[in-house]
Amino acid sequence: MKNITPIYLLTIAWKRIWILILAAVVFAVGTFSYCKILLTPTYSSTASLIVTNGAIVTGSEMQNGSSGEKVSGGDISASIYLAETIIDILNTNDIYEAVAQEIGGYTAEQLKGMSNIQRRNENTLFLDVSFTCSDPTEAKNLANEYVEVACEYVVQFIPYANAKVAATAVTASKVGPTTIKNTLIAAVFGAVVAYAILVFLDQTKKEIVSKEDFIESFEIPLLGAVPDFEGTEYTADTQGEVV
Amino acid sequence: MDIINHQNTAPSKVPFAVTEAYKSIRTNLLFLLRKEFGNVLAVTSANVGEGKTTTALNLAIAFSQLGKKVLLIDADLRRPTVYQKAKIPNDAGLSNVIAGFDSFETAVNHVREDLDILTAGKVSPYSSELLGSETFKELLDKLKGEYNYIIIDTPPINVVSDGLVVSALTDGLLFVVREKFTVKDEIAKAISAAEFANIKVLGAILNGTNGKHSSRYGKYGYSKYQNTGEY
């Protein structure tokens, strides 16, 4: 076994740089082709809910004659805490069962796997509900159906809470596969794997491969190195010609 | 004989880098021998096919090109090849001399002014006994005074014991190793055997390298000489 030093590692990489490049290219091309040809594209569509406690009314409620004058800072804080609780409620199986029954064709577990519910940011009353699937229209419909069912469901659970659809899903954007990212990762992975194999082979190599290898392996002096000379009269036995 | 025609190297056949490599080895050996106060070298290898005989022959030529009187002895009595490479007869040789059938003077080949070659002679099943005999030792002692350098091509150490028997009579041992061919464990085994037998290991010569290292001389303007062998 040779000593593994930074110079040794750099030398291995430099001497076989073409292998590393080849491995990176092969892995990149393979992954690119796989992403483009074999992987089904996925689309994500997002709808939003706004969640408040009973003291806060939405714009539409105000238009219907409700008053927003009583709203205090405490009410807003309570709504923010409430949003966190409602995320937990929205992740229960019951609501997915309800959506599954409404839409049909999916189980609650499947819908749960396709969805992602999160607050837009830390101090907001808005919750974003995203659905991801291979059909952009289906993703949009699922998101919209979910927020409709969720509003009714939240009010049933917490009577003093208001949950309204803040924004319906209008479009669905392509979210997968991330071909360029995957290709770059595969190229790096390919080069790293090839490099690891090169180091392993070099460490386990049994034959003398160079002057440096001999000097590292043995303590006796190396008096000289004679190049292989081809095209001479003794090439048949590869032992070279008399000078 | 061809070997004499190669006195000043054969530019069309032998690359410049090769002749330079042997001259470089010769220089290193001259320094070593000056330090070690000896003039008898054994050239061996761990196993067969590593270029041992070619190296021994080329070293003998390289030394003789200095105007020193050199004797090359083929002590591989089981598979002699020096006579084939040097293209000289092998009717009488070392085995004949040790056995007393021929005298050294009648068996030796004068291939050029400063280079004599004693081929192996008849293949003998008692090679170890012949090489370990007092007669061979006495012959070597006598020849040490007649030649500036004696180079002995021995059988591979890991294959037969003859190599160690002969090397024990010399002032030092040179290992020939072939790149991408010789297994490290085999070299280690051969070196251990030599050291165990109390034989001085002078160093190693690496054969069959890819020659990339010598190409750097092109930067210094020597590349144009590589095809001609001129100085």
Side-chain angles (χ1 to χ4, degrees), chain A residues 18-31:
Chain A
W18 63 273
I19 292 181
L20 302 186
I21 292 170
L22 184 67
V25 169
V26 167
F27 271 68
V29 168
T31 305

Side-chain angles (χ1 to χ4, degrees), chain A residues 46-98:
Chain A
T46 303
S48 301
L49 289 173
I50 183 167
V51 176
T52 62
N53 68 11
I56 301 175
V57 294
T58 62
S60 58
E61 286 169 331
M62 287 176 74
Q63 283 171 0
N64 292 336
S66 300
S67 171
E69 290 174 5
K70 293 177 185 173
V71 175
S72 65
D75 291 328
I76 293 172
S77 297
S79 295
I80 289 170
Y81 283 120
L82 183 64
E84 202 63 51
T85 308
I86 286 173
I87 286 177
D88 292 336
I89 294 169
L90 295 183
N91 273 317
T92 57
N93 272 340
D94 289 353
I95 192 164
Y96 284 102
E97 292 282 1

Side-chain angles (χ1 to χ4, degrees), chain A residues 153-190:
Chain A
Y153 198 78
V154 166
V155 175
Q156 281 175 20
F157 254 90
I158 310 172
Y160 61 86
N162 287 320
K164 299 284 182 190
V165 176
T168 55
V170 180
T171 57
S173 56
K174 191 178 171 187
V175 291
T178 51
T179 307
I180 293 174
K181 185 180 162 191
N182 290 346
T183 302
L184 289 175
I185 291 172
V188 172
F189 180 76

Side-chain angles (χ1 to χ4, degrees), chain B residues 67-85:
Chain B
K68 302 286 183 183
K69 207 169 175 204
V70 180
L71 171 66
L72 173 65
I73 300 176
D74 187 354
D76 192 345
L77 302 185
R78 298 169 196 259
R79 291 180 62 183
T81 52
V82 168
Y83 75 95
Q84 290 172 333
K85 291 188 187 295

Side-chain angles (χ1 to χ4, degrees), chain B residues 151-170:
Chain B
I151 296 171
I152 306 178
D153 179 25
T154 78
I157 282 186
N158 290 352
V159 179
V160 286
S161 60
D162 300 10
L164 286 175
V165 171
V166 177
S167 300
L169 302 174
T170 67

Side-chain angles (χ1 to χ4, degrees), chain A residues 206-210 213-214 218 221-229 232-234 237-239 241-243, chain B residues 6 13-14 18 21 28 54 57-58 61 85 87 174 178-180 182-184 187 202-206 208-209:
Chain A
K206 291 177 178 174
E207 294 89 16
I208 290 290
V209 292
S210 63
D213 188 21
F214 184 92
F218 299 99
L222 184 63
L223 300 172
V226 182
D228 212 3
F229 39 122
T232 56
E233 62 190 87
Y234 289 111
D237 61 6
T238 70
Q239 293 184 13
E241 187 186 47
V242 178
V243 291
Chain B
H6 296 155
K13 291 183 178 180
V14 182
V18 175
N28 288 336
T54 303
L57 190 47
N58 283 337
I61 295 167
K85 291 188 187 295
K87 295 176 180 150
L174 281 179
R178 179 166 286 277
E179 188 175 283
K180 292 175 184 146
T182 312
V183 176
K184 289 177 189 173
I187 303 169
L202 295 175
I205 295 168
L206 184 61
T209 63

